[in-house]
Amino acid sequence: MGVHVLVPVIFSFSLLLQRGLCEGVTKKQELALLPPRGWNSYDAFDWVINEADFLQNAEIVSKSLLSHGYEYVVVDYLWYRRRVKNAGPDSEGLDVIDEWGRLIPDPQRWHSSRGGIGFKEVAKKVHDLGLKFGIHVMRGISVQAYSANTPILDPIKGGAFEESGRIWRARDIGMTDRRCKWMQHGFMSVNTDLQAGRAFLRSLYQQYAEWGVDFVKNDCVFGEDLDIKEISIVSEVLKELDRPIVYSLSPGTIVTPDMAKQVHALVNMYRITGDDWDKWEDVRYHFNIARDVAAANLIGAEGLNGKSWPDMDMLPLGWLTDPGMSRGPHRKCNLNPAEQRTQITLWSMAKSPLMYGGDLRKIDEATLKLITNPTILEIDHFSQNNTEISDFISSKDIGSSNHVSSHSRSLKDENSPGKHVLTLTSCMDHKAKGWVIGTNDKELGQICWKNSLESEDQSPFCLDKREPLLTSHEESTQYQGKFHLLGMNTMELCLETSTNRKLTSSELEISSLVPCKKNTNQMWELNHDGTLVNSYSGLCAKKETLKATVNDAEARAWIATGRKGKIYVALFNLCTEEAMIYAKIKDLADALGLGFSSCVGTEIWSGQDIKPTEQLLSVAVGRHDCALLVLTCN
């Protein structure tokens, strides 16, 4: 391993604060007042992007997208990893670090970083284009720094961090039992209860500020990898820095509104889904979680030095690569034009940050028009009262009543009026405290949802228990008190959360059953307080009964108010046939708490005039397509 030394620039945070820093404070108070927009390298380049490819895309952002509000250009993950044979996302020992164990760009891919200056030259070129520069970072400290046992930099005093008469090193703060789930050989948490652990995190973000970074995407600290301590420390550090930096969390797998409420005030963006790729299943997956965070009033809530925004991930449009390919872009987007319209319309109605993911050097005219559509951009930035109102709409197939649905096998009670599903939530969520030991004729009995045992309206919801599939005495001791959970009417399928990799949105159904195996993803434990905790994620299972009329609806609708009295209505057809979607004008008015009784307007994608008859909106919407209405109502 070649170690590149980065000479630290030391300054006193207290001195900076004493000086006032009026300009810096003002900027920090204005962070992310609108959902950020920009370009991210991941969908097109995976991790193998180099300096030339990045700056070429940045130049196009400046020329073609900056005037439409796209101002951030972000280098996604592993910019510090050497691109050598067998290198990949979970490789060990191939990163470039400085003498303090901090990651610096691979000089073979980022030529201007040679000499240990990091991203300073790249950031300067980005800033000269009128843009802002962002990077992706991982949780805690790298396994490589831990293995090398590098000293910790004291970011206030300079030099090695000393306390209690000794110099502190990486192995003093690294937590080997808290490694990143999808990059076990890459990163682990640091002990933030230690001054040295906090000093290390401070030294990282001080370095990013010195490079000229404006945006940090922090991975493996949210969702099933939630590390609220690290997020809180980083948030405090960013408040103290002279340079305003937008703070974004990723990947956000298995996120709930309860979890989002824990972090929104500490950050500016946070991913609420797994990786989104150009598959219809991924687009469809976003509807429920978008609805839930909107209902929880999380859109545009308080954030770090400004506001925060639930993030539904990059837009995988245009010229792309494949996930996990470790190569540059080589194919067109798999979503058809209707599905692309549906995606960007949902993103804008939910006010998600808009981060384009395709290689801009090969963007086609249709994609460029889509991501710069003025109505989409207006809604994304300036609309208010954004919410799903699917309760108030109805639909009817045009020409066919046959539906073809594809669902993974799930835990549900076919005899109940709604679908029973399991979701993961924080174990602090009181709604997760509902599990009890049941009885059956099997040796270990059952785990049942208490309310379903007491209800006369539905069949009991229970899962059979089984001893874990362990082989050694060490494993048996480690997993004492834990068990597998078998699906109803099956002896071969077990309940599993997720695998040791980043998941796409469509793969995040917690209710999926898979073949039983020796895997911590399948280990469960019943706590005394009635919570059922998963050994892999540390999150708890919660049973919900979802009404088919809302959650399984093939038609969805969002509504919002705009400037100058405009009303926005988005109607989505998720089924495989064209459908007529209906909505009453009165229901739209009631949903917004307004008193209008008539509306006229335009459907954006077709350009057709909308003139409701008998106080009823009715629009024909194609399969996987949407209608976006801009209405003036009286």
Side-chain angles (χ1 to χ4, degrees):
M1 179 196 76
V3 176
H4 294 256
V5 178
L6 178 66
V7 178
V9 178
I10 308 300
F11 57 87
S12 167
F13 288 96
S14 59
L15 179 60
L16 291 174
L17 293 174
Q18 290 172 8
R19 291 178 178 174
L21 294 169
C22 296
E23 181 180 357
V25 171
T26 301
K27 289 181 180 178
K28 283 187 277 192
Q29 291 173 344
E30 298 177 348
L31 280 180
L33 291 184
L34 299 171
R37 292 182 195 152
W39 177 80
N40 180 291
S41 64
Y42 178 65
D43 288 348
F45 294 93
D46 197 82
W47 67 273
V48 299
I49 192 168
N50 58 40
E51 185 169 336
D53 291 337
F54 180 79
L55 290 176
Q56 287 169 13
N57 273 274
E59 289 176 2
I60 300 171
V61 173
S62 177
K63 178 180 178 181
S64 302
L65 295 179
L66 179 59
S67 61
H68 300 281
Y70 291 84
E71 59 177 339
Y72 293 94
V73 286
V74 182
V75 182
D76 213 272
Y77 77 146
L78 302 185
W79 37 267
Y80 37 81
R81 185 146 299 170
R82 298 181 183 278
R83 191 178 181 185
V84 296
K85 185 178 180 180
N86 298 324
D90 202 27
S91 302
E92 185 174 352
L94 297 178
D95 296 337
V96 185
I97 60 176
D98 69 8
E99 63 177 314
W100 307 110
R102 301 179 300 181
L103 299 158
I104 55 177
D106 170 22
Q108 297 302 314
R109 289 190 290 138
W110 302 90
H111 300 302
S112 69
S113 71
R114 291 172 178 168
I117 67 173
F119 275 125
K120 286 184 178 180
E121 289 299 317
V122 172
K124 182 180 183 303
K125 291 177 181 178
V126 167
H127 295 154
D128 289 345
L129 291 170
L131 303 173
K132 296 179 180 179
F133 177 61
I135 59 174
H136 173 288
V137 302
M138 294 294 293
R139 78 184 306 164
I141 191 168
S142 70
V143 171
Q144 186 161 330
Y146 181 90
S147 299
N149 203 23
T150 54
I152 305 302
L153 172 67
D154 187 327
I156 303 299
K157 298 179 180 179
F161 183 88
E162 295 187 46
E163 188 181 50
S164 302
R166 69 184 179 94
I167 293 176
W168 288 69
R169 293 180 173 272
R171 290 181 184 173
D172 298 319
I173 65 171
M175 304 176 72
T176 56
D177 60 334
R178 297 193 61 187
R179 296 185 180 227
C180 177
K181 301 293 191 305
W182 64 272
M183 201 187 288
Q184 294 275 325
H185 296 96
F187 294 86
M188 65 183 75
S189 291
V190 298
N191 189 343
T192 54
D193 292 334
L194 299 173
Q195 289 282 357
R198 296 194 292 274
F200 178 75
L201 292 177
R202 185 181 296 272
S203 74
L204 294 181
Y205 286 83
Q206 176 178 311
Q207 181 187 56
Y208 304 151
E210 291 167 359
W211 286 348
V213 170
D214 307 291
F215 181 105
V216 170
K217 177 181 175 181
N218 193 7
D219 207 335
C220 217
V221 293
F222 192 44
E224 64 184 4
D225 294 292
L226 179 64
D227 190 335
I228 195 68
K229 286 187 176 181
E230 179 165 329
I231 295 169
S232 299
I233 294 297
V234 171
S235 184
E236 286 301 315
V237 169
L238 292 176
K239 285 181 181 179
E240 296 173 352
L241 290 176
D242 182 22
R243 185 173 195 85
I245 296 177
V246 168
Y247 187 25
S248 171
L249 302 183
S250 177
T253 55
I254 315 179
V255 172
T256 66
D258 289 333
M259 190 180 295
K261 289 176 181 178
Q262 296 181 54
V263 303
H264 74 80
L266 303 172
V267 303
N268 304 110
M269 292 168 48
Y270 51 93
R271 278 268 297 283
I272 56 175
T273 68
D275 285 357
D276 173 65
W277 281 94
D278 52 329
K279 299 185 295 184
W280 171 246
E281 294 80 6
D282 276 16
V283 176
R284 179 170 182 146
Y285 176 84
H286 287 74
F287 278 86
N288 282 358
I289 185 61
R291 173 203 63 211
D292 293 345
V293 295
N297 296 316
L298 290 166
I299 296 176
E302 176 190 2
L304 172 64
N305 296 320
K307 292 187 177 182
S308 62
W309 306 94
D311 175 20
M312 297 202 290
D313 203 11
M314 285 89 73
L315 295 165
L317 309 174
W319 194 245
L320 308 169
T321 189
D322 291 298
M325 286 293 291
S326 298
R327 60 181 289 188
H330 63 278
R331 64 171 179 84
K332 294 181 179 179
C333 173
N334 288 321
L335 297 174
N336 64 38
E339 292 166 343
Q340 293 182 37
R341 286 192 294 269
T342 292
Q343 179 168 39
I344 200 165
T345 301
L346 177 62
W347 264 235
S348 68
M349 291 298 291
K351 294 180 72 72
S352 172
L354 298 181
M355 294 288 179
Y356 182 70
D359 185 351
L360 286 162
R361 296 172 301 183
K362 297 189 70 171
I363 192 170
D364 58 279
E365 184 178 357
T367 303
L368 181 61
K369 286 184 177 179
L370 185 68
I371 66 174
T372 59
N373 181 280
T375 302
I376 287 292
L377 300 183
E378 173 73 16
I379 294 171
D380 182 63
H381 265 183
F382 300 113
S383 61
Q384 297 180 359
N385 306 307
N386 306 64
T387 186
E388 184 183 278
I389 57 163
S390 294
D391 307 64
F392 303 133
I393 66 169
S394 59
S395 64
K396 180 180 180 182
D397 289 351
I398 299 175
S400 173
S401 59
N402 295 323
H403 289 250
V404 179
S405 299
S406 176
H407 300 285
S408 60
R409 186 166 183 180
S410 62
L411 296 169
K412 62 181 179 179
D413 181 353
E414 301 291 353
N415 297 320
S416 68
K419 186 168 78 171
H420 292 192
V421 299
L422 296 184
T423 59
L424 286 183
T425 184
S426 166
C427 292
M428 301 295 290
D429 183 357
H430 71 279
K431 294 181 180 180
K433 299 176 180 180
W435 298 97
V436 296
I437 296 176
T439 58
N440 62 5
D441 58 358
K442 298 180 176 63
E443 181 180 354
L444 291 180
Q446 296 178 312
I447 300 295
C448 300
W449 187 250
K450 182 179 180 181
N451 290 345
S452 71
L453 294 177
E454 301 171 348
S455 174
E456 297 180 357
D457 299 327
Q458 57 184 336
S459 301
F461 184 87
C462 297
L463 300 169
D464 292 332
K465 292 171 59 181
R466 192 184 78 175
E467 290 282 7
L469 298 171
L470 304 176
T471 55
S472 68
H473 174 72
E474 181 180 352
E475 288 174 333
S476 298
T477 302
Q478 179 182 1
Y479 292 110
Q480 185 175 3
K482 297 179 174 62
F483 43 79
H484 285 294
L485 290 173
L486 303 174
M488 294 174 291
N489 304 317
T490 176
M491 292 296 294
E492 300 177 351
L493 299 178
C494 286
L495 177 63
E496 180 177 284
T497 55
S498 66
T499 55
N500 283 344
R501 62 188 177 87
K502 296 186 77 173
L503 299 178
T504 62
S505 296
S506 58
E507 295 173 317
L508 291 175
E509 295 294 338
I510 175 57
S511 55
S512 294
L513 296 168
V514 299
C516 300
K517 53 189 174 182
K518 185 177 68 176
N519 191 326
T520 56
N521 305 58
Q522 297 182 3
M523 298 296 180
W524 300 86
E525 183 176 12
L526 182 64
N527 294 324
H528 294 299
D529 62 358
T531 54
L532 182 62
V533 63
N534 176 254
S535 298
Y536 170 73
S537 66
L539 299 174
C540 284
K542 177 175 64 175
K543 191 196 78 67
E544 295 179 334
T545 302
L546 305 180
K547 296 181 179 179
T549 54
V550 176
N551 294 279
D552 290 339
E554 297 297 316
R556 298 293 185 95
W558 277 69
I559 194 168
T561 55
R563 297 188 290 185
K564 299 180 180 180
K566 298 296 184 184
I567 304 294
Y568 301 112
V569 179
L571 304 174
F572 299 94
N573 176 17
L574 307 188
C575 74
T576 57
E577 304 290 342
E578 184 180 10
M580 185 69 70
I581 302 179
Y582 305 88
K584 294 180 180 179
I585 297 295
K586 182 180 184 303
D587 287 339
L588 301 181
D590 291 344
L592 292 170
L594 300 176
F596 57 81
S597 58
S598 63
C599 301
V600 295
T602 303
E603 198 286 307
I604 294 302
W605 301 121
S606 66
Q608 294 181 349
D609 292 336
I610 300 296
K611 297 179 180 179
T613 58
E614 299 180 357
Q615 305 307 306
L616 186 70
L617 275 174
S618 59
V619 182
V621 183
R623 67 183 298 273
H624 297 178
D625 207 346
C626 66
L628 179 56
L629 315 180
V630 181
L631 304 176
T632 300
C633 302
N634 299 308

Short mmCIF file of all heavy atoms in Angstrom, two decimals, residues 301-321:
data_model
loop_
_atom_site.label_atom_id
_atom_site.label_comp_id
_atom_site.label_asym_id
_atom_site.label_seq_id
_atom_site.Cartn_x
_atom_site.Cartn_y
_atom_site.Cartn_z
N ALA A 301 -39.05 19.54 6.13
CA ALA A 301 -39.01 19.75 7.58
C ALA A 301 -37.70 20.42 7.97
O ALA A 301 -36.81 20.63 7.16
CB ALA A 301 -39.18 18.41 8.30
N GLU A 302 -37.56 20.73 9.25
CA GLU A 302 -36.34 21.33 9.76
C GLU A 302 -35.15 20.44 9.43
O GLU A 302 -35.22 19.21 9.52
CB GLU A 302 -36.44 21.49 11.29
CG GLU A 302 -35.18 22.02 11.94
CD GLU A 302 -35.21 21.94 13.45
OE1 GLU A 302 -36.22 21.44 13.99
OE2 GLU A 302 -34.23 22.37 14.08
N GLY A 303 -34.06 21.07 9.03
CA GLY A 303 -32.86 20.34 8.69
C GLY A 303 -31.62 21.03 9.22
O GLY A 303 -31.72 22.03 9.97
N LEU A 304 -30.45 20.55 8.87
CA LEU A 304 -29.19 21.13 9.30
C LEU A 304 -29.00 22.51 8.69
O LEU A 304 -28.89 22.65 7.47
CB LEU A 304 -28.04 20.20 8.88
CG LEU A 304 -26.62 20.73 9.09
CD1 LEU A 304 -26.34 20.94 10.57
CD2 LEU A 304 -25.60 19.79 8.46
N ASN A 305 -28.99 23.53 9.52
CA ASN A 305 -28.82 24.91 9.05
C ASN A 305 -29.79 25.26 7.92
O ASN A 305 -29.46 26.02 7.01
CB ASN A 305 -27.39 25.14 8.56
CG ASN A 305 -26.38 24.99 9.67
OD1 ASN A 305 -26.62 25.45 10.79
ND2 ASN A 305 -25.26 24.34 9.38
N GLY A 306 -30.98 24.68 7.95
CA GLY A 306 -31.97 24.95 6.91
C GLY A 306 -33.08 23.93 6.94
O GLY A 306 -33.74 23.76 7.96
N LYS A 307 -33.26 23.24 5.83
CA LYS A 307 -34.34 22.26 5.72
C LYS A 307 -33.80 20.89 5.34
O LYS A 307 -32.63 20.74 5.00
CB LYS A 307 -35.38 22.73 4.69
CG LYS A 307 -36.17 23.96 5.11
CD LYS A 307 -37.28 24.27 4.12
CE LYS A 307 -38.10 25.47 4.59
NZ LYS A 307 -39.22 25.77 3.66
N SER A 308 -34.70 19.90 5.40
CA SER A 308 -34.32 18.53 5.02
C SER A 308 -35.38 17.96 4.10
O SER A 308 -36.56 18.33 4.16
CB SER A 308 -34.18 17.65 6.26
OG SER A 308 -35.41 17.54 6.97
N TRP A 309 -34.95 17.00 3.25
CA TRP A 309 -35.81 16.47 2.20
C TRP A 309 -35.67 14.95 2.10
O TRP A 309 -34.55 14.44 1.94
CB TRP A 309 -35.45 17.10 0.85
CG TRP A 309 -35.47 18.60 0.93
CD1 TRP A 309 -34.42 19.42 1.17
CD2 TRP A 309 -36.62 19.44 0.81
NE1 TRP A 309 -34.83 20.73 1.19
CE2 TRP A 309 -36.19 20.78 0.97
CE3 TRP A 309 -37.97 19.20 0.55
CZ2 TRP A 309 -37.05 21.86 0.91
CZ3 TRP A 309 -38.84 20.28 0.48
CH2 TRP A 309 -38.38 21.58 0.65
N PRO A 310 -36.76 14.21 2.19
CA PRO A 310 -36.71 12.77 1.91
C PRO A 310 -36.25 12.56 0.46
O PRO A 310 -36.79 13.17 -0.46
CB PRO A 310 -38.15 12.31 2.12
CG PRO A 310 -38.77 13.36 3.00
CD PRO A 310 -38.11 14.65 2.60
N ASP A 311 -35.27 11.69 0.29
CA ASP A 311 -34.59 11.53 -1.00
C ASP A 311 -34.95 10.16 -1.58
O ASP A 311 -34.70 9.13 -0.97
CB ASP A 311 -33.09 11.65 -0.77
CG ASP A 311 -32.26 11.38 -2.02
OD1 ASP A 311 -32.82 11.46 -3.12
OD2 ASP A 311 -31.06 11.08 -1.87
N MET A 312 -35.51 10.14 -2.80
CA MET A 312 -35.90 8.88 -3.43
C MET A 312 -34.85 8.36 -4.41
O MET A 312 -35.13 7.50 -5.21
CB MET A 312 -37.26 9.05 -4.11
CG MET A 312 -38.35 9.37 -3.10
SD MET A 312 -40.01 8.98 -3.63
CE MET A 312 -40.29 10.22 -4.88
N ASP A 313 -33.64 8.88 -4.33
CA ASP A 313 -32.47 8.41 -5.08
C ASP A 313 -32.37 9.08 -6.44
O ASP A 313 -33.26 9.80 -6.89
CB ASP A 313 -32.45 6.90 -5.21
CG ASP A 313 -31.04 6.36 -5.46
OD1 ASP A 313 -30.07 7.12 -5.32
OD2 ASP A 313 -30.90 5.17 -5.78
N MET A 314 -31.24 8.79 -7.11
CA MET A 314 -30.97 9.40 -8.40
C MET A 314 -31.98 8.98 -9.45
O MET A 314 -32.66 7.97 -9.31
CB MET A 314 -29.57 9.01 -8.89
CG MET A 314 -28.44 9.73 -8.18
SD MET A 314 -27.90 8.85 -6.71
CE MET A 314 -27.04 7.46 -7.42
N LEU A 315 -32.04 9.74 -10.53
CA LEU A 315 -32.88 9.42 -11.67
C LEU A 315 -32.05 8.61 -12.66
O LEU A 315 -31.19 9.15 -13.35
CB LEU A 315 -33.40 10.70 -12.32
CG LEU A 315 -34.33 11.55 -11.45
CD1 LEU A 315 -34.48 12.95 -12.04
CD2 LEU A 315 -35.69 10.88 -11.31
N PRO A 316 -32.29 7.29 -12.78
CA PRO A 316 -31.48 6.44 -13.66
C PRO A 316 -31.98 6.50 -15.10
O PRO A 316 -32.53 5.54 -15.64
CB PRO A 316 -31.68 5.05 -13.04
CG PRO A 316 -33.07 5.09 -12.50
CD PRO A 316 -33.30 6.51 -12.04
N LEU A 317 -31.80 7.64 -15.72
CA LEU A 317 -32.29 7.88 -17.07
C LEU A 317 -31.11 8.09 -18.02
O LEU A 317 -30.00 8.39 -17.59
CB LEU A 317 -33.20 9.11 -17.08
CG LEU A 317 -34.33 9.13 -16.04
CD1 LEU A 317 -35.06 10.47 -16.07
CD2 LEU A 317 -35.29 7.98 -16.25
N GLY A 318 -31.35 7.95 -19.31
CA GLY A 318 -30.30 8.21 -20.29
C GLY A 318 -29.35 7.06 -20.47
O GLY A 318 -29.75 5.91 -20.61
N TRP A 319 -28.04 7.35 -20.45
CA TRP A 319 -26.99 6.39 -20.76
C TRP A 319 -26.37 5.89 -19.46
O TRP A 319 -25.77 6.66 -18.70
CB TRP A 319 -25.94 7.05 -21.64
CG TRP A 319 -24.99 6.11 -22.31
CD1 TRP A 319 -23.65 6.02 -22.09
CD2 TRP A 319 -25.28 5.15 -23.33
NE1 TRP A 319 -23.09 5.05 -22.90
CE2 TRP A 319 -24.07 4.51 -23.68
CE3 TRP A 319 -26.45 4.76 -23.99
CZ2 TRP A 319 -23.99 3.51 -24.64
CZ3 TRP A 319 -26.38 3.76 -24.95
CH2 TRP A 319 -25.17 3.15 -25.27
N LEU A 320 -26.49 4.56 -19.19
CA LEU A 320 -26.21 4.01 -17.87
C LEU A 320 -25.26 2.83 -17.92
O LEU A 320 -24.88 2.35 -18.99
CB LEU A 320 -27.53 3.55 -17.21
CG LEU A 320 -28.67 4.56 -17.15
CD1 LEU A 320 -29.96 3.87 -16.72
CD2 LEU A 320 -28.32 5.69 -16.20
N THR A 321 -24.91 2.34 -16.72
CA THR A 321 -24.25 1.05 -16.57
C THR A 321 -25.20 0.14 -15.81
O THR A 321 -26.38 0.48 -15.62
CB THR A 321 -22.90 1.19 -15.83
OG1 THR A 321 -22.22 -0.05 -15.91
CG2 THR A 321 -23.09 1.59 -14.38
#
